[in-house]
Amino acid sequence: MKRYRLLVIALGGLVLVLLGLLMFGNLNSNLVYYLTPQEALTKKAEFTEGRRFQLGGFVRANSVVRAPDGLRFVVATGTSPESPSIPVLHRGAPAQLFQSGIGVVLEGSWRGARFVSDTMLIKHDENYAPPQSGGEQR
Amino acid sequence: MRLFGHRLSIAAGIAVAMALAAAFTAPPDALQGNLQRLMYVHVPAAWIAFLAFGVTLIGSGLWLWRRDSRHDRLAAASAEVGVFFTGLTLALGSVWGKPVWGVWWTWDPRLVTTAIMFFVYLGYLALRRATVEPVARARRSAVFGIVAFVQVPIVHLSVLWWRTLHQPPTVLRPGHPTIDHAMLAALLLNLLAFTVLFVLLVRARMRLAAAEQEHELRDGERELAGAAVSAPRLKGAQQ
């Protein structure tokens, strides 16, 4: 019984340490799921050409152009026209819900000033409304 | 037939039928179209997982306090149902994620913490299987059931703490739910139907566990068949 109690205390301690690390250990830079265009631009020196990372943001309205080598569009941190943005060349298949204005997470790397991606995920928001209601429609 | 008897089964049937009707008649989403209807089963499944692990927490706490085997059975039954619904949440989320996000699975904090919760509670069920002695089993699983509950708030808040692909909460958020009223009504009806179903499942599982325990006790009183034969011994071995 004593040994079992020791085991419980040891495991409990381990869980607490892990939790503490997760919450206060500043692991965020390693755990972060995607970089916003603003972060990607400021950390550009860190991510050399060919080093893959995930870039997440909003597809800027009316920036989508279908080119022979892929899909060209601009990804911005926010939806306002002056928020930091990165031109993207997407070489993979576009996601089913891809459209101008929607949130995307792209996987790829820098090539010059352009981000070249081959995988696209759609990040939709928590708003749900029927088509005709106007307000949140995109 | 304790606790509502057949009435609960009838209520569950009616609630599920109404919820299904509501899920199919609610308006489609502007962006996702009919794919959004998966919400009416994915969200309730996740809610039942949280509720079930909450009931396991309460059952475990009550057992440590009162030492009544009924509370142990409640914790065990609820955990079993919770593991099933966590698995269902992951599967349904995957089915929703493929057409909408573009992938079945991604290493997103919400998805990963949910999967960890699934496996930890599978561990809870394994612990129950691994310990034969009823009181030791109840004590160990009660401690496990209380500690493991930490994950529920982590899973729920993961979308706010970390950057995720999964969207933040729609209903359980400060301020007004960001969902159309007809859709919200359908979602709430489905939450109710799943909750009634949860009570029904836990009740059935607890009844089964009580019968099992009774059977075990009766077995203990009966003389073992092995008592009729003597164990073989090596010649010249020490007695």
Side-chain angles (χ1 to χ4, degrees), chain B residues 104-238:
Chain B
W104 297 105
W105 175 266
T106 179
W107 295 99
D108 153 289
R110 165 59 73 83
L111 275 61
V112 171
T113 49
T114 311
I116 292 173
M117 184 168 83
F118 178 68
F119 288 114
V120 167
Y121 276 97
L122 267 185
Y124 173 91
L125 297 183
L127 176 70
R128 295 198 68 92
R129 283 268 167 173
T131 320
V132 181
E133 206 270 303
V135 176
R137 176 175 60 207
R139 184 172 45 237
R140 287 172 194 187
S141 47
V143 173
F144 197 137
I146 290 170
V147 174
F149 187 76
V150 182
Q151 299 172 101
V152 169
I154 294 179
V155 169
H156 183 70
L157 295 170
S158 59
V159 284
L160 303 173
W161 287 352
W162 297 294
R163 215 173 268 171
T164 58
L165 184 66
H166 194 286
Q167 71 279 11
T170 296
V171 179
L172 288 178
R173 67 198 289 276
H176 208 67
T178 52
I179 180 170
D180 172 72
H181 291 300
M183 292 159 126
L184 181 63
L187 179 61
L188 290 177
L189 258 177
N190 275 278
L191 286 169
L192 177 76
F194 270 67
T195 309
V196 178
L197 212 58
F198 164 75
V199 176
L200 192 72
L201 286 171
V202 169
R203 190 187 67 168
R205 191 61 191 85
M206 277 181 77
R207 204 179 289 150
L208 206 60
E212 260 175 5
Q213 198 179 30
E214 206 175 304
H215 183 74
E216 266 172 29
L217 281 177
R218 221 180 298 139
D219 253 13
E221 287 161 16
R222 208 189 304 145
E223 219 175 301
L224 292 173
V229 287
S230 54
R233 284 196 189 88
L234 279 177
K235 252 183 216 163
Q238 291 286 320

